Amino acid sequence: MFVDVPLVVAAVPEHPLMAAYPDGGAVSSAALAGHRLIGLQHVIGMRAVLERLCAGAGFRPQVVFEAAASDALARLAARDLGVGVGVLPGPGPHPGLRALTLADPRARAALVRRAQGPLGPAARELLGRLREELRAGRRMRGRNRAGARVSCAGRRGSRCARR
């Protein structure tokens, strides 16, 4: 099961980076150079994505804060502590923030589980919620309520492929 979500840059509407895109549009990773950035922690994997993007644009990111979760990233950016780079929680809107899509990458989350064997209560709950999102995404032509494309990739005959 895969969920494909666009990466965004988020800051207070008055931030110079947001002012450079008055009509919206996608922000290039090169445009992040020289800005104080808020990233997600290394253990989440998004920090490595940010560092690769910046290296590809020829600079090292100036990460001033690391957030443990997307909602913390949004709160830090809304307090004008820097430009948040990552995935925002939920469909929005996010009070005090303006978010623009990052032109380069997309974030992809994958879930793999054993085909046989017991599942604990937390795993059952997670799978149930993911299946609900997947069904909602298919009813909405491949997009979930947050606007992310949702798809299911599984081998023929797998639970995922049958749903």
Side-chain angles (χ1 to χ4, degrees):
M1 184 179 301
F2 295 96
V3 179
D4 197 14
V5 185
L7 291 178
V8 299
V9 295
V12 294
E14 308 79 36
H15 192 279
L17 182 61
M18 296 296 127
Y21 296 86
D23 299 323
V27 177
S28 72
S29 52
L32 300 175
H35 292 286
R36 295 166 41 101
L37 304 178
I38 304 165
L40 293 168
Q41 291 178 337
H42 279 284
V43 295
I44 298 172
M46 293 304 298
R47 176 67 184 271
V49 171
L50 173 60
E51 289 175 354
R52 279 195 309 269
L53 288 171
C54 294
F59 71 97
R60 289 185 61 144
Q62 181 188 359
V63 178
V64 293
F65 289 101
E66 282 189 340
S70 296
D71 59 335
L73 182 135
R75 287 194 309 270
L76 290 168
R79 288 181 174 81
D80 199 16
L81 296 173
V83 176
V85 180
V87 178
L88 289 181
H94 303 283
L97 278 183
R98 181 165 177 233
L100 298 171
T101 302
L102 194 56
D104 305 320
R106 297 185 70 77
R108 175 165 277 177
L111 173 70
V112 179
R113 77 170 198 95
R114 295 179 295 178
Q116 309 261 328
L119 291 175
R124 276 194 303 275
E125 179 68 21
L126 175 64
L127 285 172
R129 288 181 185 220
L130 288 172
R131 283 187 186 115
E132 286 174 24
E133 287 297 315
L134 181 59
R135 283 189 210 108
R138 286 184 186 214
R139 279 196 305 271
M140 297 173 68
R141 297 183 187 209
R143 297 214 178 256
N144 68 11
R145 284 174 247 138
R149 289 185 308 184
V150 180
S151 62
C152 180
R155 292 182 311 178
R156 186 178 186 101
S158 72
R159 290 184 123 165
C160 186
R162 282 196 303 254
R163 292 210 172 262

